[in-house]
Amino acid sequence: MLDLSVYSSQQNQQLIDSTDWNVLETEFDPSRLHHQETVFTLGNGYLGTRGTFEEGYPHDSPATIIHGVYDDVAIASTELVNCPNWLPFVVKVAGERFRMDSGEILHYERRLDLRLGIVSRDVRWRSPAGHTVEFHFERFASLANQNFLAIRCQITSIDFEGDIEVEVGFHPEPRTQGVKHWQTLKQGGLDNLIWLHSQTLHSAIEFGMAAKLIVEGEETASVCVRQGEHHHSTLVTTLQVEPEKTVTLEKIVTLYTSREIPTPAEAALIRLVAAPSYSTLLAAHIAAWERVWQDSDVVIEGDRLSQLSIRYNLFQLLAVAPRYDDRVSIPPKTLSGFAYSGHIFWDTEIFILPLLIHTQPALARNLLTYRYHTLRGARRKAQEMGYRGAMYAWESASTGDEVTPRWVPGPNGEQVRIWCGDIEVHINTDVAYAAWQYWQTTGDDEWMRDCGAEIILDTAVFWESRVEWNQQRHCYDIRDTIGPDENHDRVDNNAFTNVMVQWHLQTALALWDWLVKSYPDTSAQLAEKLYLQPEQMELWGDIANRLYVNQDLATGLIEQFEGFFNLEDVNLADYEPRTKSMQGLLGVEATSQKQILKQPDVLMLMYLLRDRFDRKTLKTNWDYYSPRTDHSYGSSLGPAIHAILACDLNQPVEAYTHFMRAAMVDLADVRRNAHEGIHAASAGGVWQAVIFGFAGVRMTNFGPIACPNLPPNWTRLKFRLKWRDEWHEFDLTA
Ligand code: BGC
């Protein structure tokens, strides 16, 4: 059991301000630098920038990651790269560089304003020479204008009279976890502008960035270009201050890549020269966030930590969802870290999309269209592996080809074979499931006709070639797979996969009927393109009816895969307290021989296909599988799903425990790995836990209805959902 007192610690109280919209940090703690860089990440649907301080520290890990900017790398084949850093902003007070690890910090507060999408910081600092100055930094990545970024710095002298020098620039060739990906083609500066033109080493994506420095209200202050370290151009100005005088500096940055425009450096310069003022940019940015929150906010009363954390999770997802690009998707760590190389998993479709489908459908459509554009890669994969139709990559990048590493170095230098790319095939149905959910909720027939139908049908064709007829049992098998619980690989008849495939084939048939009736021309074209025959449709129905699932008819208990019940049973409580996953503790091989789940598998199925399982069956399977699941250090995808099912079973207190573990995963660094980046799937699960768990929302033919089961301390829960062009407002009490 999770000790909930963790969340009411002083540290977490400091997280919240009186408005429930601000994440606060009241102390500069170098030991938490990397975790807090993740927490203070900003994004605008185009890029993400970690919350690294402008002045830079020796062990910091700045990162700006742009959707779709992948480059080749060993092992993972391709990775999202760390783009040139736009933050550097150095201030010298009487020649002494401002840095919080020297001199004295007299006051410190950093905040992430979730409502406005702004990170700001107030520091009162005494330099080693004894000069006292106050800094107010704020920055944003414009949501209104995705190619604009800005930093404003206000410096107030308390007792200092003399020169303050400010130097701003870029770091042009940052490495990505030690790997070099950039070459600078050209860089320079003129008047109060600097620019950079660079290119990724292998994928040859060009990158252009430009910046200017404005000294607000100081007509006489001059800004000049300096050749800084390593011959990089920077912009420099020197200002005279005296006690009580405030100077304001603004660094405006524009950036493009050749993914959007053929000449990105030129575009960055042109946009910069004609850039609106900082205040105008800021006003548009704030207005854009306001529009987003109007539809996606969730209000919780009675529990301020839940309120702040749900908003935090929503913020990070809304900040990463691409606005103008349907050839990219959301990586497991958003654009805030490099774990998983920025590859795309089922995390997007199953965990993140529901929020967007129900509150920002245009963004959901972009993400699903990514899967349409990557169908070709999925077809190549099917063909390479000897199957027909489309087989989505377990890990996907720009083209949809499989990019899961096959071998990774193990803890003792040995090579460990990773099978997910070959056999974690449930991804195929996960994508189809999300496409179907989108259509059911939005009624977007056009998208289903033009994109969704091809996805759902061609992935169904794959299943037809993947299943095997078992003559002895007179049923179909799906052998050698990995279900969601990756502690067990190379298993036969994983129940999650098999039942989802049943659903998939039945759904494909229903969809085909609709398409033939509503759009006969499209159905004829698709039949030709995908070689669909009438007999095939019959076969789909037959496979769906006869896929093997081992379920005890008396109790309803489902075996996770063939032979799971024969594995050694262990009591997870015997291993407490621990700070590692069970797999980390026992090793890969030993864990695979035991009934220990990394994340829900049968229970995941019961959540996705809620209407197919009654409460008694759910209860039986919950009682069996939940105690065998590594809730604390298994997959971060699990806790939110357990929270929802616990609500279904009328266990709001247990649900709340799971919910908080998910909701606080990054803010409180519950799993001690937040430094690697935001847990995007968990964030999406948090929204689902509130809406489908605590609010008990179910979709009916007449729209969504709620059957709330609120945690004891929640006095109000308020949100809205869009269903077929109409908004439904929910305002629930216990
Ligand atoms: C989980 C997968 C997940 C992936 C990326 C793995 O540890 O088992 O379900 O898709 O992480 O988040």
Side-chain angles (χ1 to χ4, degrees), residues 385 387 391 417 419-420 422-426 462-463 466 468 477-483 488-494 497-498 561-562:
M385 302 208 55
Y387 302 112
M391 181 186 189
R417 178 70 161 93
W419 289 100
C420 304
D422 306 67
I423 57 174
E424 195 156 349
V425 280
H426 66 81
F462 164 78
W463 289 123
R466 180 63 164 82
E468 294 166 51
D477 288 335
I478 302 181
R479 300 204 163 271
D480 198 14
T481 61
I482 306 179
H488 301 95
D489 60 16
R490 314 211 64 183
V491 303
D492 293 338
N493 289 319
N494 165 250
T497 308
N498 289 20
F561 53 81
E562 271 188 77

Side-chain angles (χ1 to χ4, degrees), residues 332 340 345-347 351 394 424 484 486 598-599 635-637 681:
Y340 299 107
F345 294 67
W346 71 319
D347 303 33
F351 293 84
W394 173 245
E424 195 156 349
E486 293 177 347
K598 177 179 178 186
Q599 65 206 88
S635 169
S636 64
L637 278 57

Side-chain angles (χ1 to χ4, degrees), residues 12-32:
N12 287 324
Q13 293 310 319
Q14 286 175 355
L15 280 171
I16 317 177
D17 79 340
S18 57
T19 66
D20 297 334
W21 277 104
N22 289 280
V23 176
L24 297 186
E25 180 188 55
T26 50
E27 192 189 331
F28 168 62
D29 177 357
S31 71
R32 297 174 75 227

Side-chain angles (χ1 to χ4, degrees), residues 635-673:
S635 169
S636 64
L637 278 57
I641 304 303
H642 282 96
I644 300 168
L645 296 176
C647 288
D648 285 357
L649 293 170
N650 203 12
Q651 300 176 9
V653 175
E654 178 151 8
Y656 187 72
T657 308
H658 288 296
F659 169 76
M660 285 309 264
R661 185 183 277 130
M664 296 298 288
V665 68
D666 294 315
L667 284 176
D669 199 8
V670 172
R671 306 163 59 85
R672 300 164 193 236
N673 65 352

Side-chain angles (χ1 to χ4, degrees), residues 587-599:
V588 173
E589 194 47 43
T591 311
S592 75
Q593 299 307 316
K594 297 181 173 41
Q595 295 190 37
I596 301 174
L597 280 67
K598 177 179 178 186
Q599 65 206 88

Side-chain angles (χ1 to χ4, degrees), residues 544-574:
N545 289 336
R546 299 212 259 171
L547 258 173
Y548 181 75
V549 178
N550 183 22
Q551 181 170 25
D552 184 314
L553 291 180
T555 62
L557 184 67
I558 296 179
E559 189 177 35
Q560 186 174 306
F561 53 81
E562 271 188 77
F564 181 83
F565 291 146
N566 301 334
L567 299 178
E568 186 195 337
D569 209 4
V570 296
N571 180 6
L572 292 186
D574 294 346

Side-chain angles (χ1 to χ4, degrees), residues 154-157 218 241-242 244-248:
Q154 289 170 304
I155 309 168
T156 306
S157 164
E218 304 267 327
V241 297
E242 60 201 48
E244 288 177 36
K245 180 172 173 180
T246 299
V247 290
T248 301

